[in-house]
Amino acid sequence: MWQMVGRRETGRLPPHKFRALLQKTRLYSIELAGHKEIASAHKSGVNSLQIDATEARYLLSGAADGSVAVYDIEQATAYDHSTRTSKHEALFMVDKRVLNGHLYSVSCVHWYPIDTGIFVTGSFDNFVNVWDTNTTQVELQFNMSKKVYSLSMSTLATTHMLIATGTDDTRIRLCDIASGAFTHTLSGHRDSVWVVQWSTRSEWVLVSGGCDGAIRFWDIRRAGCYQILDQQCSQIGRRPPVLKKSSRTHGREDNLCTKYLNASSPIRQRGQKRSFGISAVDSRTAHYGSVAGLQMTADGLHMISAGTDSRLRLWDVESGCNTLVNYPSTYIRGNKGIQMAVTPDSSLVFTPSLNAILVYDVWSGHSYSSLRGHYDQVNCCAFHPQGQELYTGSNDRKILVWAPRRPIDIDNFDYEDAEQAIKADEDAWSD
Amino acid sequence: MLHLLVITHEKDRVTGLKVERLGETSAASTISYLDNAVVYVGSSYGDSQLIKLNLQPDSKGSYVEVLESFVNLGPIVDFCVVDLERQGQGQVVTCSGAFKDGTLRIVRNGIGINEQASAELPGIKGMWSLRASSKDVYDTFLVVTFISETRILAINAEDELEETEIEGFDSDAQTLFCQNVLHDQLIQVTASSLRLVDAISRRQLNEWRAPPGLSINVAAASSSQVLLATGGGHLVYIEIGQRELIEVKHVKLEYEISCLDINPVGEDPDRSYLAVVGMWTDITARIFSLPNLELLTKHSLGGEIIPRSVLFCTFEGIPYLLCALGDGHLFNFILDVNTGQLSDRKKVSLGTQPITLRTFRSKNATHVFAASDRPTVIYSSNRKLLYSNVNLKEVNYMCPFNSASFPDSLAIGKEGELTIGTIDDIQKLHIRTVPLNEHARRIAHQEATRTFAICSAKYIPTVEDMETHFVRLLDDQTFENIASFQLDAYENGCSIISCSFTDDNNVYYCVGTGYAIPEESEPNKGRILVFLVEDGKLQLVAEKETKGAVYNLNAFNGKLLAAINHKIHLYKWTLRDDGTRELQSECGHHGHILALFVQSRGDFIVMGDLMKSISLLIYKPEEGAIEECARDYNANWMSAVEILDDDIYLGAENSFNLFTVRKNSDAATDEERSKLEVVGEYHLGEFVNRFRHGSLVMRLPDSETSQIPTVIFGTVNGVIGVIASLPQEQYMFLHKLQQNLVKVIKGVGGLSHEQWRSFSNERKTVDAKNFLDGDLIESFLDLSRSRMEEISTAMSVPVEELCKRVEELTRLH
């Protein structure tokens, strides 16, 4: 570290490289943070997390009991001197007791990208609520008439304020905060849409993934979707092989995967049967099974998708090709989507897998570590870009903070205390 | 080290590779072969060089001959601002270069003399230049006087200085004064007589002899007058006529006369109506009227040091009286030409030795050269007297010597040497290099022992990546290495300060170190070493082990504040039972990523984190604890911080930006109070390694600019810059000027100034605010008159006023 600072001082290490290098080394040492603790205000599993884009200071969480809470992740509400942990309690929490609050599970939360005065939540009670952060009241409601699985607002948008929603319905609807009405209905998916995400490259492009295994790209200025990702297409200009052969090409995959493939085949076949009558393009799939998570890289050139077929796939967005990066398999189950996270330099992807969070190198698929700490299935990850911290929410009702390893505060008198504390910590988490 | 790679080949096949050693150069970053065996070696760690590759090796076996070196200050890793000569002018001592090219550079403002010719002439007692006739433009003769002889040098046809004779001059006595006077005549004053000599025939025309028993001590003359002082306090006034000398007046003063001057300051350039006389015993400067030698003013100079040189001169139309003392101090007064009254007395210290004042002209302006152990040029800008050092060691005498072959030159008499040289532009930085042959990382100056201490690393190229680290003590005048302390293997010196502790009168050097074991990403062991300088030796007084590298040390109210990895620790200096002292930990603060930069002021601590911008901490003595009171929530990766004043803190950031934050101590809510508000943002385009308070120009106590605090910064590329905190009114004015200038001055390639200066990093890009680009504003002075007027109309401020305001700004650096 001192050497790196020295190299930066003498100009041998350009500052941007210094920064990238340090961020990377910090990332690889990420572990359960001993110094930071979020006191979850929820009484049931945490479904969705998001850190605001403006200050990267407030964490928004939505839980299965219909509650939504906001935490200040910079300023601790309490500091425990004996264990040296700062405790972050919720700044406020809203649940069904609030007028028009969500009655059932909150599946997704989203900050208004411009400031932290507004946030948006979607719930299984069929409503999308727009909240005023300062009054903690619902300002606007959209009735989607089906369970809301996912919603997204574009961080780039300068001309629109649309909330894209993925629901149990096959249609994606865009809600306009300005008018309080639906502006678009995008139909194409053949099953529920679990994930929607705006492109990080263009404010008009929306990506969606559904239970039908398809990932569709929409340009909201045009009718219909303009691209459907095909897992078989891995080279530009090459015709994708016939679908039936697909199981054979994937034959050398590990057992678990093939087993799962067989298990999920009825869904696939049902999809195919339906698609025969329409067109071959329409029947392309990105995953065998549902698409559970989508995450674009910060530059918007690549996208990572996760499916209930236990695969992660990296897509080249421009050509729509499957890059065939082989990520070790994950375990994603459940009846709703998950939230993955990609670091801003697009080097690592964090994906929930059962009780753990798996850390993969985006480009090689190499598995770096598996972050274990949750007692139950992990639903969502949110990455804090400046502090290189990862926040994860799970069905065990907890929000955990994962941070780069920091040298333990050791100083003469409290050396042993600290060591004890670490030991105690280890005990507490070994399950 | 430069090697030649020889690739031998036969047709298409490479048959061998051979590396041949050519010789040593600066550590090269780029090499370009120019032509004729001349190679340019560009270096970012040392001076760039233009070298010639010889066919035959020299005696040391090197084929390399350095033709020219180009000074490179970068990378400035650390620096300190010191006033070595104690004369109110800061000098910057930088740790520059890296590896074997590591140097200390002493940067100061000063005027350079470009030597044209020099000759060995020991024992010079005075010099004057004479023209062959009054009509000549150029000086021909240079009169040099010694203890018992006078020699006359002239430029001969071969442009060489050659000894000649002026027949009428007394060459066997010391000359006290000589000059061209009216009617094509010359005068020479010696201890015994005043001679009038015809300039054409060079024969003596007339002579005035001192009364028997008295000898002439000092003399001065204008074109038509001579004033002499002889022993016993006699003052004799003589007028020069055609071929005659008329003694007009003679008075006897009560004390001996030490110096006098009758340089004309009135309308008539040939005749002076005032004379100034410096006195022994009562230490006064007296002004007499001429020709009747009536005492007009008597001004006591105070103190016990006699005036050694007095001079009337006119700068920008304002007559001044300068009066230099034997101890290097200089008084200046504004003179009333009619009444001889003195006003606006100001005193500055120029050196420590007696000063001799002489006027000279350069670039059509009058300057005064003060010859002493610290030669200084006195000049005036916007009706203010300014003092600028000349980068010569010691000058005894000086006279202007404007000859045909050496136009606009000065003849300078040094100890044992006569030099003729031209003078540089006023106000230029002067850089001196002290090679260290090792890489200096940190520097601190100790006033009490007049030493510098540096943390340096000696890099041994033969052993792979092996560095040995030292703490070295250097003399602050000679920069000689007095003492060294070698650190342990892998131990790096990370910080150094000079400080003192409560209940202890000694001044110590405290050195913070860290053990950089190659396998460990973060040092987890370090030391704080406390040294006392005794008899030129570094005495290790105390040592304290820490659990991490000590990135920063600060003197903090008689205690020591250390930044160790991600923690800030306060140590107090305690006395043990056995009389020895030790550092004892008092309290700490943690929760940072890496506390890299720490500055303190009072009980406040400003900390620059590796990646979490600036935090403000406060030490609470009653509770013995350090607490965070506010921070900037932007994620800036810091590279340096400094405290500008109680509320405003300056930071430099990883993406070459500067920003300032303000403490909101009187904000209404806790939320606002805990936030450092970003008030200024600016893109500098340079990676700042260090800020220090200080200034490179002499701060005159009377000038307005001395009220403006400045901060100096040093960057990786070797840039030294000044940031000045301007008052609101001046800021508004200059901001308006800058906006107008941007419209007139177009950037290279039409690039927008606004865009370049906008704060920009990975996360955001915002327009610059509350920062001004001094370089841009100062370029106003280089504009053509019509352009200036264009701006002047746009601003509705007269051009003169604008120039004055901008010049004021230029005097800050």
Side-chain angles (χ1 to χ4, degrees):
Chain A
M1 187 55 234
W2 162 248
Q3 263 110 340
M4 268 170 71
V5 172
R7 284 159 57 102
R8 180 175 72 159
E9 266 177 4
T10 53
R12 269 189 289 165
L13 189 66
H16 66 273
K17 271 194 191 153
F18 169 85
R19 186 190 156 113
L21 206 63
L22 213 71
Q23 274 177 340
K24 203 159 272 183
T25 43
R26 281 169 59 82
L27 269 180
Y28 290 149
S29 70
I30 206 163
E31 60 179 20
L32 194 62
H35 63 281
K36 208 172 196 179
E37 199 173 87
I38 302 238
S40 172
H42 307 294
K43 293 186 189 65
S44 63
V46 178
N47 282 336
S48 181
L49 289 174
Q50 207 200 16
I51 297 167
D52 73 290
T54 43
E55 281 181 286
R57 184 174 169 183
Y58 298 103
L59 177 75
L60 183 64
S61 72
D65 61 354
S67 61
V68 176
V70 172
Y71 308 86
D72 183 344
I73 50 177
E74 291 285 355
Q75 193 116 42
T77 46
Y79 186 77
D80 187 340
H81 284 274
S82 60
T83 55
R84 305 202 155 182
T85 46
S86 52
K87 206 165 179 176
H88 298 259
E89 274 157 15
L91 296 178
F92 64 86
M93 205 248 305
V94 286
D95 55 16
K96 55 188 125 195
R97 284 169 293 186
V98 179
L99 182 67
N100 294 332
H102 290 299
L103 297 175
Y104 308 139
S105 173
V106 174
S107 56
C108 47
V109 290
H110 210 291
W111 282 108
Y112 182 58
I114 315 298
D115 61 47
T116 49
I118 300 174
F119 62 90
V120 186
T121 59
S123 160
F124 283 1
D125 67 0
N126 304 353
F127 281 99
V128 168
N129 284 359
V130 179
W131 303 77
D132 181 322
T133 318
N134 294 313
T135 60
T136 65
Q137 293 299 318
V138 178
E139 293 297 318
L140 196 61
Q141 267 195 318
F142 295 95
N143 188 349
M144 311 306 293
S145 63
K146 284 280 175 65
K147 278 192 215 169
V148 180
Y149 283 116
S150 171
L151 57 82
S152 177
M153 291 189 80
S154 173
T155 47
L156 301 175
T158 50
T159 50
H160 67 74
M161 277 197 280
L162 297 175
I163 309 168
T165 56
T167 61
D168 210 9
D169 194 8
T170 56
R171 290 168 301 170
I172 298 161
R173 288 209 275 188
L174 306 188
C175 322
D176 189 357
I177 298 188
S179 63
F182 301 113
T183 54
H184 295 61
T185 303
L186 310 173
S187 44
H189 281 289
R190 281 173 231 302
D191 209 336
S192 339
V193 179
W194 277 4
V195 275
V196 285
Q197 199 182 32
W198 288 98
S199 162
T200 46
R201 205 165 179 80
S202 159
E203 60 173 305
W204 310 111
V205 174
L206 181 72
V207 193
S208 61
C211 285
D212 54 357
I215 297 175
R216 285 172 183 258
F217 280 73
W218 314 85
D219 185 328
I220 59 165
R221 294 166 295 185
R222 296 194 295 192
C225 85
Y226 71 92
Q227 186 169 15
I228 305 170
L229 296 184
D230 184 353
Q231 52 185 317
Q232 310 300 341
C233 166
S234 58
Q235 267 172 303
I236 302 169
R238 209 177 127 199
R239 249 177 184 297
V242 185
L243 269 173
K244 275 174 190 165
K245 286 183 181 169
S246 63
S247 56
R248 223 167 61 201
T249 53
H250 286 259
R252 56 188 166 81
E253 284 168 9
D254 50 296
N255 279 338
L256 186 130
C257 183
T258 28
K259 224 160 64 194
Y260 181 66
L261 264 181
N262 296 335
S264 64
S265 54
I267 306 168
R268 184 161 54 92
Q269 250 135 46
R270 207 169 53 220
Q272 275 171 359
K273 259 181 212 152
R274 258 200 265 165
S275 68
F276 278 149
I278 310 163
S279 80
V281 175
D282 237 17
S283 65
R284 287 173 179 176
T285 57
H287 285 273
Y288 303 107
S290 319
V291 177
L294 283 178
Q295 186 63 48
M296 272 217 178
T297 57
D299 56 12
L301 291 177
H302 291 86
M303 188 176 69
I304 293 171
S305 64
T308 51
D309 56 357
S310 297
R311 309 295 311 174
L312 285 192
R313 291 192 209 284
L314 179 71
W315 304 91
D316 179 62
V317 169
E318 201 53 45
S319 63
C321 289
N322 181 359
T323 57
L324 295 180
V325 174
N326 184 30
Y327 299 97
S329 57
T330 57
Y331 187 88
I332 298 163
R333 293 290 182 280
N335 50 4
K336 61 186 184 312
I338 53 156
Q339 266 183 15
M340 297 185 290
V342 176
T343 57
D345 61 348
S346 310
S347 62
L348 294 182
V349 57
F350 300 95
T351 171
S353 172
L354 219 62
N355 294 359
I357 299 104
L358 302 178
V359 187
Y360 295 128
D361 184 288
V362 170
W363 310 112
S364 70
H366 178 73
S367 167
Y368 273 102
S369 60
S370 145
L371 307 175
R372 292 179 187 278
H374 282 293
Y375 294 124
D376 206 339
Q377 188 180 319
V378 182
N379 293 320
C380 49
C381 314
F383 190 74
H384 187 272
Q386 279 90 48
Q388 278 103 41
E389 289 169 326
L390 182 73
Y391 294 82
T392 56
S394 146
N395 279 350
D396 64 4
R397 310 199 304 266
K398 288 214 154 35
I399 299 171
L400 292 186
V401 188
W402 310 81
R405 188 180 305 131
R406 49 170 62 199
I408 308 118
D409 300 316
I410 323 166
D411 256 306
N412 38 50
F413 55 94
D414 53 8
Y415 176 73
E416 262 149 40
D417 285 3
E419 206 163 50
Q420 292 277 308
I422 302 157
K423 281 220 178 93
D425 223 27
E426 276 169 1
D427 287 347
W429 291 114
S430 62
D431 47 343
Chain B
M1 195 63 67
L2 193 67
H3 288 91
L4 177 71
L5 175 69
V6 186
I7 303 176
T8 51
H9 61 95
E10 279 169 37
K11 285 179 188 160
D12 296 341
R13 279 180 46 227
V14 175
T15 55
L17 295 175
K18 206 172 78 180
V19 175
E20 204 162 308
R21 206 193 119 153
L22 290 179
E24 190 166 335
T25 64
S26 297
S29 311
T30 162
I31 298 176
S32 16
Y33 184 82
L34 302 176
D35 203 358
N36 284 332
V38 176
V39 179
Y40 180 79
V41 177
S43 172
S44 31
Y45 303 123
D47 289 347
S48 296
Q49 293 170 323
L50 191 66
I51 57 167
K52 189 173 165 62
L53 299 174
N54 295 325
L55 288 173
Q56 298 301 323
D58 62 6
S59 54
K60 288 178 204 148
S62 167
Y63 294 88
V64 172
E65 182 194 339
V66 177
L67 298 177
E68 207 175 338
S69 273
F70 306 91
V71 175
N72 169 26
L73 282 184
I76 299 174
V77 177
D78 193 8
F79 68 91
C80 59
V81 185
V82 286
D83 181 9
L84 294 179
E85 273 80 21
R86 301 174 192 240
Q87 54 158 205
Q89 177 171 16
Q91 300 186 11
V92 167
V93 181
T94 67
C95 294
S96 293
F99 313 117
K100 72 172 185 69
D101 295 321
T103 51
L104 294 185
R105 309 265 174 152
I106 302 102
V107 182
R108 76 166 205 218
N109 247 341
I111 297 172
I113 300 281
N114 302 318
E115 202 172 290
Q116 309 267 355
S118 76
E120 262 188 48
L121 274 179
I124 297 173
K125 285 286 160 197
M127 290 194 301
W128 296 267
S129 55
L130 295 176
R131 278 164 288 154
S133 102
S134 305
K135 293 173 202 91
D136 277 11
V137 183
Y138 292 116
D139 299 327
T140 315
F141 301 109
L142 186 64
V143 180
V144 184
T145 184
F146 303 90
I147 279 286
S148 59
E149 59 169 336
T150 298
R151 288 197 224 167
I152 293 134
L153 305 173
I155 307 249
N156 65 11
E158 278 96 52
D159 275 359
E160 280 176 354
L161 270 183
E162 191 185 55
E163 205 168 328
T164 73
E165 277 199 345
I166 295 177
E167 218 175 283
F169 272 23
D170 181 0
S171 61
D172 296 330
Q174 183 185 341
T175 304
L176 296 175
F177 192 84
C178 66
Q179 191 177 308
N180 286 77
V181 290
L182 286 178
H183 312 299
D184 251 1
Q185 300 174 112
L186 307 172
I187 55 158
Q188 184 203 18
V189 184
T190 62
S192 55
S193 69
L194 160 65
R195 288 171 180 225
L196 189 66
V197 177
D198 184 73
I200 312 291
S201 67
R202 298 181 192 167
R203 281 172 202 281
Q204 183 177 331
L205 299 172
N206 206 336
E207 189 175 22
W208 178 92
R209 291 200 159 270
L214 294 175
S215 64
I216 303 171
N217 289 336
V218 281
S222 68
S223 294
S224 61
Q225 302 153 296
V226 181
L227 189 66
L228 304 170
T230 65
H234 294 281
L235 196 59
V236 183
Y237 172 64
I238 294 167
E239 292 214 343
I240 299 163
Q242 182 119 27
R243 306 172 74 91
E244 59 178 354
L245 295 166
I246 310 147
E247 183 178 330
V248 177
K249 186 85 183 175
H250 177 189
V251 289
K252 185 177 186 303
L253 304 178
E254 60 269 46
Y255 305 116
E256 292 281 342
I257 291 159
S258 65
C259 53
L260 48 81
D261 185 55
I262 55 165
N263 197 19
V265 283
E267 315 252 300
D268 187 347
D270 289 334
R271 208 175 161 76
S272 171
Y273 296 95
L274 291 174
V276 58
V277 173
M279 304 294 292
W280 283 82
T281 320
D282 69 342
I283 322 282
T284 51
R286 301 181 185 194
I287 305 231
F288 292 91
S289 69
L290 291 179
N292 43 6
L293 285 182
E294 267 173 31
L295 181 65
L296 295 177
T297 317
K298 186 162 133 184
H299 190 98
S300 174
L301 300 172
E304 292 168 354
I305 315 291
I306 55 151
R308 285 300 186 96
S309 187
V310 283
L311 187 73
F312 286 127
C313 63
T314 311
F315 291 121
E316 295 183 305
I318 303 170
Y320 289 92
L321 169 65
L322 304 177
C323 176
L325 304 189
D327 64 349
H329 280 91
L330 179 88
F331 286 95
N332 70 66
F333 305 90
I334 289 177
L335 176 73
D336 186 319
V337 181
N338 299 319
T339 63
Q341 292 302 313
L342 299 176
S343 57
D344 278 14
R345 167 178 152 145
K346 279 164 201 159
K347 185 179 176 182
V348 284
S349 158
L350 298 181
T352 57
Q353 301 296 313
I355 298 174
T356 321
L357 299 169
R358 288 298 271 281
T359 55
F360 69 98
R361 290 185 73 77
S362 158
K363 308 227 159 53
N364 289 323
T366 305
H367 306 303
V368 170
F369 193 96
S372 74
D373 61 332
R374 297 245 331 152
T376 305
V377 170
I378 303 161
Y379 59 101
S380 161
S381 171
N382 277 328
R383 305 178 165 235
K384 277 178 190 156
L385 284 189
L386 298 174
Y387 305 85
S388 208
N389 298 318
V390 177
N391 65 43
L392 287 173
K393 269 264 155 78
E394 184 162 354
V395 173
N396 297 328
Y397 298 95
M398 169 273 172
C399 79
F401 185 55
N402 180 22
S403 63
S405 36
F406 302 121
D408 270 336
S409 297
L410 305 178
I412 290 159
K414 290 191 250 183
E415 201 65 52
E417 200 183 41
L418 170 70
T419 309
I420 294 175
T422 53
I423 194 152
D424 276 359
D425 291 348
I426 308 293
Q427 284 256 349
K428 197 178 153 190
L429 282 186
H430 171 49
I431 297 167
R432 202 174 117 205
T433 304
V434 181
L436 292 173
N437 292 324
E438 54 187 37
H439 185 187
R441 295 289 299 272
R442 295 287 182 266
I443 186 165
H445 182 249
Q446 197 167 77
E447 189 67 37
T449 56
R450 312 232 62 181
T451 52
F452 284 107
I454 56 168
C455 292
S456 66
K458 197 164 189 78
Y459 185 76
I460 307 147
T462 47
V463 190
E464 194 122 319
D465 270 349
M466 191 58 203
E467 288 176 332
T468 331
H469 293 261
F470 295 94
V471 178
R472 292 195 191 274
L473 191 68
L474 308 175
D475 183 88
D476 76 351
Q477 294 291 325
T478 60
F479 288 92
E480 266 167 39
N481 188 358
I482 311 173
S484 298
F485 178 88
Q486 187 173 347
L487 299 175
D488 296 347
Y490 298 117
E491 191 179 13
N492 286 219
C494 305
S495 51
I496 190 162
I497 55 155
S498 159
C499 68
S500 57
F501 298 102
T502 35
D503 312 328
D504 193 346
N505 295 327
N506 291 324
V507 187
Y508 298 95
Y509 276 119
C510 297
V511 180
T513 71
Y515 287 85
I517 315 283
E519 286 77 35
E520 290 176 0
S521 69
E522 186 69 52
N524 54 26
K525 190 178 160 212
R527 288 194 289 175
I528 298 174
L529 306 166
V530 183
F531 292 101
L532 182 62
V533 177
E534 263 178 350
D535 313 323
K537 286 201 177 64
L538 277 175
Q539 206 81 251
L540 183 62
V541 188
E543 175 180 349
K544 174 92 188 166
E545 198 151 300
T546 59
K547 301 287 178 201
V550 184
Y551 286 101
N552 211 299
L553 287 173
N554 259 281
F556 188 75
N557 304 337
K559 292 170 182 158
L560 187 67
L561 187 71
I564 302 164
N565 283 6
H566 63 292
K567 194 162 179 179
I568 285 180
H569 242 274
L570 189 63
Y571 291 97
K572 60 185 173 203
W573 189 236
T574 53
L575 193 64
R576 267 194 297 226
D577 298 339
D578 57 352
T580 57
R581 304 213 174 228
E582 65 167 350
L583 284 173
Q584 210 175 61
S585 167
E586 189 181 330
C587 58
H589 185 266
H590 41 90
H592 312 287
I593 307 276
L594 201 62
L596 275 184
F597 313 100
V598 178
Q599 294 290 337
S600 63
R601 186 181 176 115
D603 280 339
F604 285 102
I605 303 163
V606 172
M607 198 212 62
D609 189 273
L610 172 72
M611 50 165 66
K612 283 189 150 180
S613 198
I614 296 178
S615 327
L616 177 69
L617 312 175
I618 186 167
Y619 171 64
K620 296 190 169 156
E622 317 83 63
E623 297 156 42
I626 298 174
E627 282 172 17
E628 180 177 295
C629 39
R631 54 173 291 201
D632 171 27
Y633 283 95
N634 289 306
N636 291 318
W637 288 54
M638 304 303 295
S639 70
V641 293
E642 184 57 271
I643 299 175
L644 287 182
D645 58 36
D646 281 338
D647 293 333
I648 312 248
Y649 316 118
L650 172 70
E653 181 261 18
N654 205 42
S655 307
F656 316 123
N657 300 304
L658 296 179
F659 64 96
T660 51
V661 290
R662 185 172 60 200
K663 179 175 79 178
N664 278 328
S665 40
D666 45 1
T669 63
D670 274 350
E671 160 78 17
E672 277 169 54
R673 268 197 294 274
S674 72
K675 212 170 184 174
L676 289 174
E677 183 197 354
V678 179
V679 284
E681 289 175 314
Y682 184 71
H683 184 76
L684 182 68
E686 288 282 343
F687 186 85
V688 177
N689 270 332
R690 182 74 69 195
F691 290 117
R692 296 261 191 232
H693 282 284
S695 163
L696 272 175
V697 285
M698 197 188 283
R699 287 309 184 77
L700 304 174
D702 57 300
S703 67
E704 289 163 31
T705 51
S706 67
Q707 309 304 322
I708 295 178
T710 55
V711 168
I712 299 180
F713 62 82
T715 77
V716 165
N717 291 340
V719 172
I720 294 179
V722 177
I723 299 169
S725 314
L726 300 177
Q728 178 71 14
E729 179 271 332
Q730 197 174 358
Y731 171 80
M732 296 311 290
F733 179 83
L734 292 171
H735 183 64
K736 204 170 151 200
L737 176 61
Q738 176 174 305
Q739 282 174 332
N740 283 299
L741 277 171
V742 171
K743 289 176 202 148
V744 175
I745 301 174
K746 290 280 171 273
V748 178
L751 297 176
S752 147
H753 176 265
E754 204 175 315
Q755 202 179 342
W756 161 241
R757 290 304 182 188
S758 54
F759 181 99
S760 149
N761 64 11
E762 286 86 349
R763 291 184 57 243
K764 60 172 184 179
T765 301
V766 286
D767 283 349
K769 60 178 180 191
N770 290 333
F771 269 97
L772 292 174
D773 186 350
D775 285 338
L776 179 75
I777 292 173
E778 282 173 22
S779 64
F780 173 77
L781 298 175
D782 307 332
L783 291 178
S784 64
R785 184 77 194 181
S786 59
R787 288 279 194 80
M788 281 190 183
E789 265 154 18
E790 199 179 305
I791 289 166
S792 149
T793 22
M795 297 262 308
S796 51
V797 176
V799 174
E800 283 68 32
E801 168 76 8
L802 282 176
C803 283
K804 193 175 151 247
R805 300 288 292 260
V806 176
E807 272 167 9
E808 241 165 56
L809 195 69
T810 62
R811 280 199 297 274
L812 282 173
H813 61 88

